[in-house]
Amino acid sequence: MRLFLYAAFSASVSSAVIGPCNPAGIVPATCPITDLHLALSENASISQNRSSFPRWSEYHAPTPGAIVNVATEDDVVATIKYCNAKNIPFFAQNGGSGWISDFGLGPNGIVINLHGLNKVSFNVARTRATIGGGTLISEAIEAAWANNAQLTTGNCNCVGVLGAILGGGYGNLMGLGGFGVDTVISLNYVSPDGKLTTVTPKDRDLWWALRGAGPNFGVVTSAVVKSTYVPQSKNTAWLGSLIYGGDKLEPIVSAINTIKLEPEMNVFLYFAVSNAKPVVLVTPFYYGNESTARQKFARILEIGPLSDTTAVTPYNHWNDGAEGFCIRGGRKPSYGAGMLHLLPAVWRGVWNEFVEFTKNPGTESSIILMEAYSLGKGRSVPDDASAFPYRQVTFNAAALPWYSNASLDPVAEAYGRRVRDLWWTNDNMTMNTSYINFAHGDEDLEVVYGAHLERLKMLKKKYDPANIFNHWFPLAPRPQRGASQAEPE
């Protein structure tokens, strides 16, 4: 996700101390997890202060009783074994950016914060990288830049690398390297019963399931992925923002439809509010020089942007335009849809919905997003090569309301559903689709897992029969585990 709209966002971050044990955020002897620290490494810690690790969205955010900040893979093993023994619900997270509407983690649950596992290393040839399960995209890119290398990562710096990759893995370089799930060489994984193992293509079923539906099967604590040697002097791309008035929307959509996206290219379309006015943003990307880039995107440039900030930019700054999107807190009930086509009339309808919604006070940070990539490399891999189901989807879009007043929730939810329905009902796909990392949480499982759902359910029974991992688009109904499974309101 790239925005190139800097100062437009503001959100409040809750500093509330949470949990059933102690309002001061200190784990006392009476807390049900007071003895967990005995099983953890020296640098691990346990916190009940939710402000120590705020989530990207406070909308239906989990409210755990404690956050376990792990420092080693063995800490993850120890925490999972402890939770199983005590019948405590838990899930692991890194960036805290997932926006599913129901995590199913009650106030006695535990969040395993993986960010302490954020080391990135490369082999001598820079053809492989080992990425810790707590690494943010910004950290991975900085490590790659320092090592004269490139990685296939997502476009938003504050998101966890492996969470994005294991959902499918779109990114600027996917036209050259394919989907993120296709760059994975091996995975270190903690199973539902707390065993740390390395999963490779030899582990046929589990290897398939983890790459597309990983959170339903365990915790990935590190991964070895493909990387590419690129010296810093050549590790640049042309990118930036083009801003247009709403009257240019139809020609922009038509231009995006007609541009052939070559492997070095991608393009995003946004609706945003700038200087109190709704605008259309286009953010083109070309891995190459400016003169060639302008030729490739001539159809969009010829429409005549009000502003053009495009420039040749080094690899470690490609995602700078999305920094405003990384602001944590606020309420962001988001709705995503996959599409085969961009229809100008549909996008005019979405524009009208966006303009109307952002008339509500405090909603000016809301956006509409559409991403279009070169998909030839990704589609050269068979559809059933991994659990990621939607290689044939051409465009992914999302409506992201953003506000702080909880009383707007019903308005934002209705708006998000209307926009999603506009995309779905006019696309002629055989079924509705949502990329798992863009989905809201109210969709039928077929919408998220597609044709792979039945195989995933079968493998879930094999590898996680007790349904320990059930907080991210769960493949089986959540068990009654621990003191509470309901999200407190």
Side-chain angles (χ1 to χ4, degrees), residues 151-331:
L151 294 167
T152 300
T153 71
N155 307 316
C156 195
N157 281 336
C158 54
V159 172
V161 177
L162 298 188
I165 285 177
L166 294 175
Y170 290 87
N172 284 323
L173 297 171
M174 67 171 293
L176 300 169
F179 284 98
V181 290
D182 303 326
T183 70
V184 179
I185 297 169
S186 67
L187 298 164
N188 273 15
Y189 145 88
V190 182
S191 64
D193 59 352
K195 292 179 182 176
L196 178 62
T197 59
T198 298
V199 180
T200 70
K202 290 191 247 183
D203 306 289
R204 182 172 172 270
D205 285 340
L206 192 55
W207 174 251
W208 179 87
L210 287 174
R211 294 174 308 122
N216 266 277
F217 293 90
V219 178
V220 173
T221 53
S222 66
V224 178
V225 302
K226 297 175 185 177
S227 63
T228 305
Y229 169 74
V230 182
Q232 290 183 356
S233 60
K234 296 183 178 181
N235 206 351
T236 60
W238 176 85
L239 61 144
S241 69
L242 307 169
I243 299 180
Y244 300 83
D247 60 314
K248 304 297 186 184
L249 177 58
E250 283 83 359
I252 289 169
V253 172
S254 297
I256 293 173
N257 269 326
T258 57
I259 290 175
K260 176 178 171 54
L261 291 177
E262 298 173 4
E264 300 83 6
M265 300 168 67
N266 66 65
V267 61
F268 292 5
L269 171 68
Y270 295 94
F271 299 162
V273 176
S274 179
N275 297 321
K277 292 183 179 180
V279 297
V280 178
L281 274 79
V282 179
T283 63
F285 175 95
Y286 181 73
Y287 182 48
N289 63 68
E290 180 171 2
S291 60
T292 304
R294 289 188 172 275
Q295 293 173 17
K296 301 292 185 184
F297 287 102
R299 286 189 179 93
I300 293 174
L301 291 164
E302 289 167 355
I303 297 170
L306 301 171
S307 172
D308 179 347
T309 66
T310 57
V312 174
T313 304
Y315 172 61
N316 60 334
H317 290 286
W318 288 358
N319 292 349
D320 285 2
E323 285 302 309
F325 185 80
C326 285
I327 295 173
R328 294 184 177 274
R331 305 182 73 80

Side-chain angles (χ1 to χ4, degrees), residues 100-104 213 215-217 436 441-446 448-449 453 456-457 460 464 467-479 485:
I100 187 173
S101 57
D102 180 12
F103 288 88
N216 266 277
F217 293 90
I436 193 168
D442 63 339
E443 304 87 349
D444 292 338
L445 288 179
E446 290 86 354
V448 175
Y449 294 114
L453 178 59
L456 284 167
K457 285 183 175 180
K460 179 72 170 176
D464 186 14
N467 197 18
I468 300 297
F469 291 97
N470 59 74
H471 300 286
W472 184 252
F473 299 95
L475 289 165
R478 291 184 178 124
Q485 279 290 315

Side-chain angles (χ1 to χ4, degrees), residues 316-379:
N316 60 334
H317 290 286
W318 288 358
N319 292 349
D320 285 2
E323 285 302 309
F325 185 80
C326 285
I327 295 173
R328 294 184 177 274
R331 305 182 73 80
K332 305 162 188 147
S334 304
Y335 294 77
M339 293 168 285
L340 293 177
H341 310 285
L342 296 183
L343 302 176
V346 169
W347 282 87
R348 175 57 64 183
V350 173
W351 171 264
N352 292 340
E353 289 282 0
F354 175 78
V355 170
E356 192 64 28
F357 176 74
T358 53
K359 290 178 181 177
N360 290 293
T363 61
E364 62 277 357
S365 293
S366 303
I367 64 169
I368 295 286
L369 160 71
M370 187 284 299
E371 299 183 352
Y373 296 93
S374 173
L375 296 170
K377 179 72 172 178
R379 288 174 174 172

Side-chain angles (χ1 to χ4, degrees), residues 70-118:
V70 300
T72 68
E73 291 179 312
D74 286 338
D75 288 336
V76 179
V77 170
T79 304
I80 290 176
K81 287 183 175 180
Y82 182 93
C83 289
N84 285 340
K86 301 284 189 178
N87 199 32
I88 299 172
F90 68 91
F91 70 82
Q93 70 176 33
N94 178 16
S97 300
W99 63 49
I100 187 173
S101 57
D102 180 12
F103 288 88
L105 189 76
N108 290 330
I110 286 176
V111 166
I112 302 173
N113 173 18
L114 297 173
H115 191 228
L117 309 180
N118 65 343

